[in-house]
Amino acid sequence: MRPAGTLPQVTPIRRILTDLPVSTDPYADARTALEPLRDRIHPGARIAVTAGSRGIHDLVPVVKAAVDWLRDAGAEPFVTPAMGSHGGATADGQREMLEGLGITPQTIGAAIEATMETVVIGTLPDGTEVHHDALAAKADGVLLVNRIKPHTDFHGPIESGIAKILAIGLGNHRGAASLHAGGIPALGANIEAAARMIVAQGKIIGGLAILENSREQTASVEFLEADGIAEAAENALLQRASSLLGRLPFDQLDVLVVDELGKDKSGAGMDTNVIGRCWVHGIPEFESPSIAAISVHSLSPASHGNASGLGLADVIPARLLEQIDLHASYVNALTSGAGGARRSRLPMVMEDDEAAVLAAVTMCGRRHWSELRLARIRDTLSPNELLVTPALLSEAAERFDLEITGTARDLTSAGQLGPWSEK
């Protein structure tokens, strides 16, 4: 059955953002941030530099800066994936994910060494085993590199950042599964405790924390001392990152059309802080934004078929099914425990993009489509540029923080989503 109806036209708008902090040279900033370490690097020391699976804007130059700086300081750096169960929970799969993000031996100037093997560092009071990547454990030191931002599953003093890439990313499949097994409400505290336990082993030399502004640009690169990981120093960086997070400019939508989801966009495929949906047992839902129905239309190539988080959507076009690797998706979903339960469900499947949007509109509860509050975004990393229906356009025209950037056009053409730019 193909839903009936004619979709309103949409017009491009953009949020006006001023005075955003921006790093003009993330490579240089990363090298400068590492200078406090210089006297602590021993000649010939093998140092593992982490690289995760997220779509961090300047991940390549920051990782390369870390590698180059460590080599200049006399160390022998190598890069190791730190992404838990991603990449199908295989070393080759994680290498492929890094390659998809632009991290190769050629681009960063160092070998990439990967394994799924871990060593058990200890056990938390609730019985959770703390695992650590075997290659990192054998190294003389570990430099953690990650973006700090609010987590998609829980909120607390430490969320997504340096402690998480240490406890879960370098925990590989076993460590990630172990920490998630106690449920999402306990995850934040367990990440903190596990990170502190690993730091106490003495191999962690610190972390390079990347903060991004609401345009996905690097705002700053900060060095976090090892004794600041999972402590007040990391919390302070989280507070700064939270203030910079990009969000939708509307608190209430009938339909949100998302061109693409993926693991390079968010751990949940779509950033829950942006769409206002958490859908994890035991975790309170967001007060805003409130979105009645969400359609998602493709899976990013960098996800390598991992469609974890697709269950946050209500409807998809049939072609998206062809992009899904169920094994990779379900390994990730099962590893995340309660975080994968509702989010791994399959949304309603329609024949094409237009039918998917029509279905979402039909389900949103808006009787008169002339009043439809529909917005389209490329992904949840890009919530500041939208295509909106007339009901939202009239609101945008009265706001000082939004500008209209083009003319009205059809949302779909020949059953597919239309282009963003005018021809």
Side-chain angles (χ1 to χ4, degrees), residues 2 7-8 10 255-261 294-299 315-317 319-320 323 351-361 374-379 387-388 409-421 423:
R2 186 180 185 87
L7 294 169
V10 290
V255 175
L256 178 65
V257 177
V258 182
D259 285 16
E260 189 174 70
L261 91 160
I294 297 177
S295 66
V296 171
H297 297 261
S298 65
L299 180 64
V315 59
I316 61 173
R319 74 167 187 283
L320 202 157
Q323 301 172 327
E351 59 188 274
D352 55 27
D353 289 331
E354 183 178 66
V357 178
L358 285 168
V361 174
L374 177 149
R376 175 187 172 190
I377 59 174
R378 290 182 173 88
D379 53 51
L387 295 173
V388 300
R409 76 284 302 270
D410 292 336
L411 178 63
T412 60
S413 175
Q416 307 303 311
L417 288 178
W420 276 80
S421 59
K423 296 181 179 179

Side-chain angles (χ1 to χ4, degrees), residues 215-419:
R215 284 182 176 157
E216 304 174 57
Q217 301 163 316
T218 299
S220 66
V221 182
E222 309 284 345
F223 178 68
L224 184 64
E225 293 280 2
D227 61 7
I229 297 172
E231 301 290 351
E234 184 166 357
N235 174 261
L237 292 175
L238 174 62
Q239 298 308 311
R240 285 176 55 190
S242 182
S243 70
L244 297 170
L245 184 68
R247 301 181 190 276
L248 291 169
F250 304 103
D251 289 333
Q252 190 276 323
L253 293 175
D254 296 321
V255 175
L256 178 65
V257 177
V258 182
D259 285 16
E260 189 174 70
L261 91 160
K263 298 300 291 187
D264 55 326
K265 313 300 180 183
S266 171
M270 296 183 288
D271 193 327
T272 61
N273 297 283
V274 174
I275 64 173
R277 293 182 176 184
C278 185
W279 289 4
V280 173
H281 178 70
I283 301 298
E285 284 300 318
F286 296 87
E287 292 184 5
S288 66
S290 174
I291 304 173
I294 297 177
S295 66
V296 171
H297 297 261
S298 65
L299 180 64
S300 68
S303 295
H304 293 277
N306 185 345
S308 291
L310 186 60
L312 288 166
D314 299 294
V315 59
I316 61 173
R319 74 167 187 283
L320 202 157
L321 294 177
E322 301 173 1
Q323 301 172 327
I324 299 174
D325 180 333
L326 287 180
H327 174 75
S329 301
Y330 289 165
V331 165
N332 193 186
L334 290 170
T335 301
S336 65
R342 292 180 67 184
R343 295 175 180 179
S344 62
R345 296 175 181 176
L346 187 66
M348 180 181 290
V349 181
M350 304 304 292
E351 59 188 274
D352 55 27
D353 289 331
E354 183 178 66
V357 178
L358 285 168
V361 174
T362 301
M363 293 186 291
C364 79
R366 180 72 67 179
R367 181 182 297 277
H368 303 294
W369 288 19
S370 60
E371 301 171 357
L372 181 67
R373 296 173 64 85
L374 177 149
R376 175 187 172 190
I377 59 174
R378 290 182 173 88
D379 53 51
T380 55
L381 287 176
S382 311
N384 297 309
E385 294 189 3
L386 309 91
L387 295 173
V388 300
T389 51
L392 291 174
L393 185 65
S394 61
E395 180 179 326
E398 298 177 355
R399 288 176 49 172
F400 71 91
D401 62 329
L402 297 173
E403 63 177 342
I404 300 169
T405 58
T407 58
R409 76 284 302 270
D410 292 336
L411 178 63
T412 60
S413 175
Q416 307 303 311
L417 288 178

Side-chain angles (χ1 to χ4, degrees), residues 132-275:
H132 192 49
D133 181 272
L135 293 173
K138 290 179 182 179
D140 298 310
V142 178
L143 177 64
L144 305 160
V145 178
N146 200 20
R147 175 179 57 202
I148 289 184
K149 65 177 295 187
H151 200 276
T152 57
D153 294 357
F154 66 87
H155 294 295
I158 303 299
E159 297 183 22
S160 191
I162 302 301
K164 184 190 171 199
I165 204 168
L166 173 57
I168 290 183
L170 281 180
N172 298 340
H173 184 201
R174 292 174 184 170
S178 178
L179 286 173
H180 281 89
I184 300 301
L187 183 58
N190 279 350
I191 287 175
E192 295 174 42
R196 292 173 186 143
M197 182 179 290
I198 301 170
V199 168
Q201 301 296 303
K203 290 281 188 80
I204 308 302
I205 63 176
L208 273 181
I210 302 170
L211 275 63
E212 291 184 340
N213 63 31
S214 58
R215 284 182 176 157
E216 304 174 57
Q217 301 163 316
T218 299
S220 66
V221 182
E222 309 284 345
F223 178 68
L224 184 64
E225 293 280 2
D227 61 7
I229 297 172
E231 301 290 351
E234 184 166 357
N235 174 261
L237 292 175
L238 174 62
Q239 298 308 311
R240 285 176 55 190
S242 182
S243 70
L244 297 170
L245 184 68
R247 301 181 190 276
L248 291 169
F250 304 103
D251 289 333
Q252 190 276 323
L253 293 175
D254 296 321
V255 175
L256 178 65
V257 177
V258 182
D259 285 16
E260 189 174 70
L261 91 160
K263 298 300 291 187
D264 55 326
K265 313 300 180 183
S266 171
M270 296 183 288
D271 193 327
T272 61
N273 297 283
V274 174
I275 64 173

Side-chain angles (χ1 to χ4, degrees), residues 71-106:
R71 185 173 288 114
D72 290 348
E76 297 178 3
F78 65 95
V79 171
T80 189
M83 55 183 76
S85 65
H86 298 175
T90 68
D92 287 343
Q94 296 199 346
R95 288 192 192 92
E96 289 178 9
M97 288 203 74
L98 290 186
E99 183 176 354
L101 296 173
I103 295 180
T104 66
Q106 293 73 34

